[in-house]
Amino acid sequence: MTLAVLLPGYLPSIPFFAMLAAADVALLADDLQYSTRSNLNRARIKTATGAQWLTVPVLSKGRLGQSIAAVRIDPYHEWRKRHWRSLMVNYAPAPYWGRYEGALEEVYGRSWDSLLDLNRTLIEMLALELGLKVPMGLTSRFSTHPARTDKVVDLLRACGCDTYLVLRADYHLVDSERIAGMGLTVRPVDVAEPIYHQLFGPFVPGFSVLDLLMNEGPSAAALIQQSAKVAPEGRARQSPCI
């Protein structure tokens, strides 16, 4: 069984869901340290005037070193109305806006305190629309060693998995030889973002997976499945970690 550990970003891009599609089990890494330089609280969408970042304001001053799970959304900013309006204005002309409008409006109509709760809700909603039924848990549920390679081994064993999937760009961050010596495997994953129909001119990569869904609808699921290249290994079974 394969395991992918993913950062729970806001409206993640295609590689996030490609990794999710390639894995038998996935964990959202909520116990890692939050970084203001990450995309954990922001997403990129395509507009008539180019790329636009949607940023969820969070409380970070004086909270250096806080975990992703601990991050709180700043209650004094009207970000939900701004984000909803941006999505509505730029994706209402898309072929499949009507298919997803209701679910998105429900999310943006709710009050949110925890960034993780918001992101996880959106991730689960998007995964469902993409036909991805991969079990997803939280890394904070498990007792692990702090060092990256040791943490990977602990999570693999806790989830009953023997193979760790990692984007090729991050392959060097874990000691694959040491992990192999324990009877486990690290497999790099190559994600080729599919070219699909987009609004507002020629295709441009790197947007939230919402852009793909709005323009391709049900066809997005197959495009996601095809975008990650990793050989399957072992037989699927129920993981004890979810």
Side-chain angles (χ1 to χ4, degrees):
M1 287 227 314
T2 58
L3 170 69
V5 178
L6 306 168
L7 285 174
Y10 176 59
L11 295 173
S13 59
I14 287 172
F16 176 98
F17 291 95
M19 288 291 291
L20 186 60
D24 295 314
V25 179
L27 295 176
L28 300 178
D30 65 321
D31 59 348
L32 297 182
Q33 183 174 320
Y34 174 75
S35 170
T36 56
R37 295 188 298 274
S38 70
N39 288 345
L40 288 164
N41 68 319
R42 64 179 190 161
R44 190 168 173 256
I45 64 170
K46 192 177 185 185
T47 76
T49 56
Q52 176 185 338
W53 285 101
L54 301 179
T55 302
V56 179
V58 299
L59 301 174
S60 58
K61 187 176 181 180
R63 303 185 183 210
L64 184 66
Q66 68 178 328
S67 69
I68 293 170
V71 176
R72 292 295 174 264
I73 297 172
D74 190 335
Y76 298 107
H77 287 78
E78 291 292 331
W79 65 273
R80 289 183 294 133
K81 291 181 180 179
R82 291 199 305 272
H83 288 204
W84 174 244
R85 178 167 176 77
S86 291
L87 293 176
M88 186 168 54
V89 166
N90 292 292
Y91 287 119
Y96 295 96
W97 166 256
R99 183 183 180 96
Y100 308 112
E101 178 185 6
L104 285 168
E105 187 174 23
E106 192 278 329
V107 171
Y108 285 97
R110 292 164 57 183
S111 179
W112 297 95
D113 171 59
S114 163
L115 179 65
L116 176 64
D117 288 347
L118 168 67
N119 290 358
R120 191 179 186 186
T121 297
L122 287 167
I123 287 168
E124 289 174 348
M125 183 195 78
L126 294 168
L128 181 64
E129 295 295 344
L130 290 166
L132 302 177
K133 299 179 181 179
V134 182
M136 277 188 286
L138 299 173
T139 54
S140 60
R141 286 187 53 199
F142 308 101
S143 177
T144 60
H145 291 85
R148 186 185 297 266
T149 296
D150 293 331
K151 187 180 186 73
V152 167
V153 171
D154 291 339
L155 292 173
L156 282 168
R157 288 174 172 166
C159 291
C161 295
D162 53 20
T163 303
Y164 180 64
L165 300 183
V166 61
L167 286 170
R168 186 172 294 277
D170 298 328
Y171 183 72
H172 67 286
L173 296 176
V174 294
D175 189 339
S176 57
E177 291 187 4
R178 181 164 163 245
I179 290 175
M182 301 179 188
L184 304 168
T185 305
V186 180
R187 299 182 71 83
V189 180
D190 294 300
V191 176
E193 188 160 337
I195 297 175
Y196 57 92
H197 167 74
Q198 284 181 338
L199 298 174
F200 313 126
F203 174 79
V204 179
F207 295 109
S208 164
V209 77
L210 260 185
D211 191 75
L212 173 64
L213 277 168
M214 293 297 176
N215 288 291
E216 295 290 346
S219 299
L223 293 173
I224 289 288
Q225 292 284 351
Q226 296 162 11
S227 63
K229 302 300 181 184
V230 57
E233 191 171 276
R235 292 189 295 177
R237 60 186 185 275
Q238 182 64 41
S239 169
C241 79
I242 304 299

